[in-house]
């Protein structure tokens, strides 16, 4: 639900700004500011050498509750006359949009800013990792077993049909609805 007019959303609160046509924008969640250890733990299997752990501070911000969907991105394309990205036959609607460049993503945030009167932008790398970690310190926010990934994320798994990265099945050979 949207916060009361004139009030600021609180940490953890989900809100949706209203677009100029009266429809609702993407669901956003308020992330409180704080400090965290950015980078991979030194003992993490598969860790790259450039993932040096270091302390980082982020101010509070809001981030999309879900990945940007084809439905949301297609609405932007229709409103601005942009070509819609291909979905590879995997489906549109509530599936995460694919084939979008950094410039396309920035244009989408600029359009949201114009539509809502609120400042939208892409998260920084630190903000994204801080939100994704959800206060945890391990390699994965759900725990240390990578094969539990299907319960928490859409990953390259056994459903894919070729050598999986995760020994689980999420039921989707490609992207899954958010």
């Amino acid at each position: 639900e949207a916060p009361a007019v004139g009030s600021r959303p609180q940490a953890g609160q989900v809100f949706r700004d209203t677009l100029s046509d009266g429809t609702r924008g993407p669901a956003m969640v308020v992330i409180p500011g704080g400090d965290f250890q950015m980078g991979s733990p030194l003992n993490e299997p598969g860790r790259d050498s450039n993932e040096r752990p270091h302390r980082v501070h982020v101010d509070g911000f809001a981030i999309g509750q879900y990945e940007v969907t084809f439905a949301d991105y297609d609405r932007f394309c229709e409103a601005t006359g942009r070509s819609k990205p291909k979905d590879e036959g995997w489906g549109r609607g509530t599936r995460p949009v694919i084939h979008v460049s950094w410039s396309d993503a920035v244009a989408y945030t600029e359009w949201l800013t114009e539509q809502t009167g609120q400042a939208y932008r892409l998260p920084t790398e630190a903000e994204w990792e801080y939100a994704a970690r959800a206060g945890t310190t391990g390699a994965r926010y759900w725990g240390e077993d990578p094969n539990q990934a299907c319960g928490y994320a859409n990953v390259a798994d056994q459903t894919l049909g070729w050598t999986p990265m995760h020994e689980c099945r999420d039921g989707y050979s490609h992207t899954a609805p958010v």
Side-chain angles (χ1 to χ4, degrees):
E1 279 304 303
V5 174
S7 71
R8 297 190 69 196
Q10 300 300 308
Q13 183 176 7
V14 176
F15 67 94
R16 295 172 77 131
D17 289 323
T18 302
L19 303 181
S20 63
D21 67 1
T23 61
R24 296 171 70 189
M28 305 292 290
V29 64
V30 177
I31 307 295
D35 296 312
F36 78 109
Q37 189 76 14
M38 186 172 171
S40 297
L42 295 174
N43 61 350
E44 181 181 322
R47 179 184 179 279
D48 290 331
S49 62
N50 67 347
E51 299 178 52
R52 176 187 56 80
H54 58 287
R55 268 332 259 166
V56 173
H57 174 81
V58 296
D59 293 329
F61 62 101
I63 194 167
Q65 184 179 18
Y66 306 106
E67 299 96 328
V68 175
T69 64
F70 268 106
D72 286 332
Y73 196 81
D74 286 350
R75 178 169 48 174
F76 156 67
C77 290
E78 290 165 5
T80 61
R82 295 173 78 92
S83 296
K84 293 180 183 178
K86 295 179 181 177
D87 68 5
E88 299 299 332
W90 304 345
R92 297 184 89 79
T94 60
R95 290 181 185 258
V97 68
I98 57 174
H99 298 300
V100 173
S101 70
W102 179 85
S103 296
D104 294 333
V106 168
Y108 175 66
T109 64
E110 290 171 348
W111 178 77
L112 286 172
T113 296
E114 176 186 298
Q115 290 293 303
T116 65
Q118 301 298 320
Y120 280 77
R121 61 175 174 79
L122 297 178
T124 66
E125 180 183 10
E127 288 169 339
W128 188 94
E129 185 170 331
Y130 180 70
R133 284 189 174 278
T136 63
T137 58
R140 295 158 192 86
Y141 72 88
W142 64 81
E144 296 308 312
D145 184 358
N147 294 319
Q148 291 183 1
C150 290
Y152 301 92
N154 182 237
V155 296
D157 60 47
Q158 293 176 336
T159 313
L160 198 54
W162 44 274
T163 306
M165 293 179 68
H166 297 276
E167 298 297 324
C168 58
R169 289 183 181 278
D170 67 5
Y172 296 92
S173 62
H174 293 74
T175 61
V178 300

